[in-house]
Amino acid sequence: MLPTNIISTLFGHEELSIIADSEYFLRECSLLGFNTANIFELEKLPKNSIVFSFSNDAAKMTFDLAKNTKSKKSVFCATQVFEPTVDAALYSLKLLLSSNFEHALCTQRSVLNMLNSHDSFFLSGNDADAQVSIFPHAQAYALLAEDVSYDFVQSVAEFFEVHYAHMHPEAPCPFSFTGTLKIEGILTVLRKPNPLLPEGLKVSLKWLSDRISEEGALLSIKDNTITSLTIKNEEHVKLLDLAAGPRGLKLREFAIGVNEAIASNIDYKINSQMNEGISGVHLAIGDGSSGYHIDFLSPSVSVSPTH
């Protein structure tokens, strides 16, 4: 069954193609009834597309083709920096097709209005006990309906979260977070191998991810610094510190997820970009280059103004 929601919300019931650099993945998508094409056989993007890149070359090609395409609407899924397997991509596609894009975009607007109208918030639900302050210089990143009314190439993650990012360590952080969260899953990204990082981190982080998805974890933060990550009272904060690189345990991101529709289908063992949009909040450390970027997902958490 083709996805009526994404077609109507983003593409106006027009024809949709799935583009990728994996023939196996494209065959599976064809069986689902989609038009498909290998990205390396194109001279420009189709008018409406969902792109899955399994390699950095394919990701680069996506944006090169976009420059040569006058009219395009494209949702971009950077599979290669998460888990570049066909199974993971098919899982991501399943979540994408089950998502309510119209509701997510509307919810982003509501969340953005709330964040712009207050500066102090408390978190509740799923045993959350935390507070966050947003500073006057802060700029929230959000995607609104008008942003996708005309031509666009947007990362799939942008459809499902409103977030603040602390990009440059020397600049002031746009938020201050203190408290504890129950963590249901993590995501890990390292854009390219870094010989300065300790060996074996990928295996260790996969082990940690599996443990958290099975047993949950408790994350503690004080003044934007992670102080503890425990699974059944076992401490794992040293692994995080090693993996995150020079920025260590300092928070890099605070985000509010708005994708309610994927809750019943989410699998936290899969390192999929779609997971981070789950309705709730997530925090992140690391920049993904000098060290791993690690997202900590806490679903079913609400953010409300303190006053």
Side-chain angles (χ1 to χ4, degrees):
M1 180 181 295
L2 293 178
T4 56
N5 181 270
I6 185 174
I7 291 175
S8 61
T9 302
L10 300 184
F11 306 130
H13 295 287
E14 295 181 353
E15 191 173 76
L16 164 67
S17 297
I18 292 186
I19 312 301
D21 55 324
S22 165
E23 288 295 339
Y24 179 22
F25 175 70
L26 291 173
R27 284 197 299 272
E28 293 295 318
C29 292
S30 294
L31 293 174
L32 294 173
F34 288 99
N35 297 320
T36 63
N38 190 305
I39 194 165
F40 293 118
E41 297 174 358
L42 297 176
E43 294 183 358
K44 63 179 183 178
L45 290 176
K47 185 177 180 182
N48 303 305
S49 63
I50 303 173
V51 180
F52 284 82
S53 59
F54 287 77
S55 65
N56 289 331
D57 287 343
K60 181 179 183 300
M61 178 64 77
T62 300
F63 292 95
D64 288 344
L65 292 175
K67 293 176 185 176
N68 297 329
T69 308
K70 184 176 181 180
S71 178
K72 71 273 184 178
K73 293 183 176 182
S74 186
V75 179
F76 176 62
C77 306
T79 307
Q80 83 279 2
V81 298
F82 287 88
E83 187 175 327
T85 66
V86 170
D87 285 344
L90 289 171
Y91 164 81
S92 297
L93 179 62
K94 176 184 177 181
L95 291 194
L96 191 155
L97 299 182
S98 68
S99 299
N100 188 327
F101 279 74
E102 182 178 9
H103 181 266
L105 292 170
C106 289
T107 304
Q108 284 208 51
R109 187 183 300 278
S110 298
V111 170
L112 183 63
N113 288 340
M114 177 190 70
L115 293 171
N116 287 339
S117 301
H118 304 273
D119 56 17
S120 180
F121 305 86
F122 69 94
L123 281 65
S124 60
N126 198 14
D127 294 333
D129 181 13
Q131 303 80 41
V132 61
S133 297
I134 307 298
F135 297 122
H137 71 276
Q139 179 68 51
Y141 294 87
L143 191 67
L144 306 177
E146 54 265 32
D147 298 322
V148 292
S149 297
Y150 301 99
D151 291 352
F152 67 85
V153 178
Q154 290 284 355
S155 167
V156 68
E158 300 301 325
F159 288 90
F160 303 115
E161 66 176 59
V162 179
H163 70 278
Y164 294 92
H166 187 203
M167 303 291 288
H168 305 292
E170 65 277 6
C173 187
F175 59 86
S176 177
F177 192 102
T178 293
T180 57
L181 294 173
K182 279 180 64 176
I183 304 302
E184 307 290 342
I186 64 172
L187 297 174
T188 61
V189 169
L190 188 65
R191 294 182 182 87
K192 59 183 179 180
N194 185 340
L196 298 179
L197 293 174
E199 292 185 11
L201 281 178
K202 183 176 182 179
V203 173
S204 296
L205 289 173
K206 173 59 177 169
W207 171 84
L208 183 66
S209 176
D210 288 347
R211 284 283 310 276
I212 292 174
S213 68
E214 293 168 359
E215 303 176 58
L218 185 66
L219 184 72
S220 300
I221 306 98
K222 183 173 176 58
D223 297 330
N224 281 359
T225 300
I226 292 177
T227 58
S228 176
L229 177 74
T230 57
I231 304 172
K232 290 190 172 180
N233 295 319
E234 298 174 9
E235 184 59 70
H236 299 283
V237 74
K238 288 185 178 179
L239 173 57
L240 300 181
D241 199 13
L242 285 172
R247 295 189 64 166
L249 299 170
K250 294 284 187 182
L251 293 185
R252 188 177 188 272
E253 180 184 1
F254 164 66
I256 299 175
V258 299
N259 197 352
E260 298 176 3
I262 64 172
S264 60
N265 294 318
I266 197 166
D267 183 349
Y268 290 107
K269 284 189 176 181
I270 300 177
N271 198 37
S272 165
Q273 191 175 20
M274 284 297 301
N275 286 1
E276 69 177 318
I278 183 70
S279 184
V281 301
H282 65 265
L283 305 173
I285 57 175
D287 62 13
S289 297
S290 63
Y292 277 86
H293 179 80
I294 306 172
D295 289 293
F296 303 89
L297 311 181
S298 188
S300 304
V301 172
S302 298
V303 179
S304 305
T306 302
H307 303 295

